[in-house]
Amino acid sequence: SSRSRSSSSSSENCISGACSWHHWLCGAASGDLWWKQPEPRTVRSDYIASLSSSNSSTVRLTELRPVLAAMEELLMDLQCFTKLRGSKELQLAWYPAGTKGYNRHYDASPDDGSGHCRKVTAILYCNQSWRPKDGGELRVWPNGLGGPPVDVAPEAGRLLLFLSGAVIHQVLRTQRSRVALTMWAG
């Protein structure tokens, strides 16, 4: 794990503000967050930082406050469409330039009825001026492996929603640092 300091920047609003702070995340001065390398590294090449309300360093990151508030609103909106317990996990994921991505996976096992699983995945991308040559797309199979995949570019401000245990997906190789904020709602 490594820890680094945050620089100050302002955020314009909840979505464009999500992208105004990505510069400190991808540069040499990455925010007041604890970054971890998830295992196994043969499956994924990202670094992650948990953004739970119990993580006091998150509260000090004023750049994230509008984005976290928007994710709270999204959680309330999702509860209008599907039965959720109100639980959530929030995480920043950073893929450095030149990394392989994340192998094909589901974000949850199929719902076993216990009420203790992720139901909805929400991904907010924070990558300004993204170009096709940058790679790093999220490849999703909306109809399972029997159907054709769809590649989604990780462009700043794009919000992607899908059922955590139903949609298989992978992060493709990236040629440029790639940042996303993910919320799993259960």
Side-chain angles (χ1 to χ4, degrees), residues 77-131:
D77 289 345
L78 288 171
Q79 291 174 339
C80 295
F81 298 101
T82 186
K83 185 177 180 182
L84 298 172
R85 295 183 332 273
S87 67
K88 71 177 184 310
E89 301 169 62
L90 287 163
Q91 165 188 287
L92 273 174
W94 168 49
Y95 292 84
T99 55
K100 74 176 203 90
Y102 193 155
N103 291 359
R104 196 167 49 196
H105 66 282
Y106 293 99
D107 283 349
S109 300
D111 191 348
D112 62 5
S114 69
H116 300 291
C117 68
R118 296 171 173 172
K119 289 190 173 187
V120 178
T121 298
I123 304 172
L124 176 62
Y125 292 107
C126 307
N127 309 292
Q128 293 186 5
S129 305
W130 201 261
R131 300 161 304 197

Side-chain angles (χ1 to χ4, degrees), residues 3 8 11 33 64 70 136 157-158:
R3 185 173 187 210
S8 176
S11 50
L33 297 171
L64 289 175
R158 177 169 282 161

Side-chain angles (χ1 to χ4, degrees), residues 5 8-9 32 42 47 54 66 68 70 78 87 97 99-100 106 121 134 138-139 142 145 147 153 166 178:
R5 309 279 292 132
S8 176
S9 71
D32 263 341
T42 56
Y47 294 84
S54 63
L68 297 177
L78 288 171
S87 67
T99 55
K100 74 176 203 90
Y106 293 99
T121 298
D134 296 330
L138 186 74
R139 178 166 288 166
L145 292 175
R178 174 193 188 280

